[in-house]
Amino acid sequence: MKFIAWKQYFESNRQHFDHLDWNDGSRLTQQEKKLISSSIRQFQRGEHSEGKHFMAFAQSLQDPSYCETVKIFIREEQDHALVLGRFMDLEQIGRLKDDWLDNVFRRLRKLAGLEGTVTVLLTAEIISMIYYRALGFVTSSGLLKAICKQVLVDEEMHLRFQCYTLEIIYKRKSRPSLFFRGLTRSILMAGTIVMVWWFHRRVLRAGTYRFFSFFNAVWREFKHCNGMIRGKSANLRVQNNINHAA
C-alpha cells in the first residue's frame, strides 16, 4: 500500500467531529472537574503542534504523497487540540501555555529527524489510547465521552500510520540496527509510562487503572505496534477502514 491510500483516509475523515452535540446540556460535576482539570490541560497542550519540523523532516522520505499526508495528519491532530480546548472553555478550565513534559517531547522530535519524530509521536499516541479510555470512563458528560470515543478512533489510525512509516524506513536498515532501534523504542516507552503515570495517576486510577494494569495495557499496544512495524497488519486494516469510510 502506498501513502496515497493514507492521504485518502485522512481526507475522508475531515468531518470526524461534526457529530458532536455541543448543546447536549451535560456538564462535568464539580468532583469530575476537580479530578480531570490539570490532566486534560496537559493532554490538550500536547495535542497542539504546528508541525513545522515534522513537515521538514518528511521531505527526507522523498515521497510527495507522504508529505501531503503528513500535512493532513497534522491538521487532524490540531483538530483534537481545538475540540478539547473548546470543551475546556465550555467548562471554564484554563489552558496551559507551557508544560515541561510537553516541551521534552517537542525537543526530542526536533532533534531526532524523521525516524525519531515518528517514534516519539508513536510513543505518545500509544499512551493516548489508554488515557482517553480512562478519561471517558471517569465522566458522566456525554459530550466528553463522545470526544474521547472519536479521539480513540482517530488515534488507532494514527498508530497504524506511524507504524507503516517506520516499516518503510526500517526496510533500509540492517538487523543490528533494527535491534538497537527496537531497544531504544522500548526504553522510551517504559520511561514515558512512568512519567505519564506520575502526572496523570488520579485520572488513570479513577479510570480503573493501577500502575501495573496501566503498564500492561500500554505495553500490549506497544507490542501490537511492533507487529505492525514488521508489516503484520497495518496495511490491510487501514485499507478496510478507507473502503468503509468511502
Side-chain angles (χ1 to χ4, degrees):
M1 186 186 72
K2 304 296 183 181
F3 281 112
I4 190 66
W6 281 104
K7 180 185 175 185
Q8 291 169 357
Y9 167 74
F10 285 119
E11 285 178 336
S12 74
N13 198 44
R14 286 189 176 184
Q15 285 75 44
H16 52 152
F17 286 116
D18 284 2
H19 64 287
L20 296 179
D21 181 7
W22 292 94
N23 300 308
D24 74 344
S26 64
R27 302 293 297 271
L28 295 175
T29 66
Q30 286 302 312
Q31 184 178 6
E32 290 172 353
K33 188 174 180 178
K34 183 178 179 180
L35 173 67
I36 74 169
S37 288
S38 62
S39 181
I40 197 173
R41 291 172 75 207
Q42 194 173 56
F43 265 81
Q44 191 274 338
R45 173 66 184 169
E47 293 279 8
H48 180 73
S49 174
E50 294 182 357
K52 293 180 180 178
H53 290 87
F54 192 7
M55 281 300 304
F57 293 146
Q59 296 177 21
S60 66
L61 207 59
Q62 298 181 333
D63 185 335
S65 63
Y66 178 64
C67 294
E68 293 170 1
T69 305
V70 166
K71 185 183 297 184
I72 305 171
F73 163 79
I74 292 170
R75 188 184 303 130
E76 185 161 296
E77 287 279 30
Q78 291 171 342
D79 286 347
H80 290 179
L82 288 170
V83 167
L84 286 171
R86 183 177 174 184
F87 175 80
M88 289 162 58
D89 292 344
L90 184 66
E91 294 289 346
Q92 298 182 322
I93 299 172
R95 304 193 192 196
L96 276 182
K97 294 182 178 179
D98 193 57
D99 176 66
W100 78 268
L101 184 58
D102 178 55
N103 289 338
V104 168
F105 275 88
R106 290 176 190 272
R107 289 193 183 105
L108 285 173
R109 295 201 302 266
K110 291 177 182 178
L111 295 172
L114 178 60
E115 180 185 340
T117 294
V118 173
T119 299
V120 172
L121 284 170
L122 179 62
T123 302
E125 286 163 350
I126 289 171
I127 290 288
S128 293
M129 290 295 293
I130 311 305
Y131 174 78
Y132 284 108
R133 290 176 197 164
L135 183 62
F137 182 84
V138 302
T139 180
S140 57
S141 166
L143 177 57
L144 183 55
K145 285 181 179 293
I147 291 171
C148 290
K149 183 177 180 179
Q150 185 58 51
V151 170
L152 284 168
V153 171
D154 293 343
E155 293 291 2
E156 171 68 20
M157 298 306 289
H158 294 179
L159 291 183
R160 298 181 187 284
F161 174 54
Q162 309 301 359
C163 288
Y164 179 70
T165 303
L166 287 177
E167 179 190 354
I168 298 299
I169 293 172
Y170 285 175
K171 285 180 178 178
R172 309 171 185 177
K173 308 297 182 182
S174 64
R175 284 191 176 183
S177 178
L178 291 176
F179 173 80
F180 172 77
R181 282 166 165 80
L183 181 61
T184 301
R185 288 200 316 276
S186 297
I187 293 171
L188 177 62
M189 188 78 261
T192 303
I193 290 171
V194 173
M195 286 193 296
V196 170
W197 171 261
W198 180 253
F199 286 102
H200 300 279
R201 62 189 183 278
R202 291 181 67 241
V203 171
L204 292 167
R205 281 173 177 162
T208 73
Y209 291 102
R210 295 296 182 264
F211 176 75
F212 287 109
S213 59
F214 173 62
F215 189 100
N216 289 335
V218 173
W219 209 258
R220 281 195 298 271
E221 290 286 348
F222 177 67
K223 289 175 65 177
H224 178 54
C225 287
N226 284 340
M228 290 194 288
I229 290 170
R230 293 192 293 269
K232 290 188 175 180
S233 59
N235 298 356
L236 175 62
R237 292 190 185 184
V238 75
Q239 190 62 56
N240 288 341
N241 275 279
I242 291 169
N243 292 339
H244 179 70

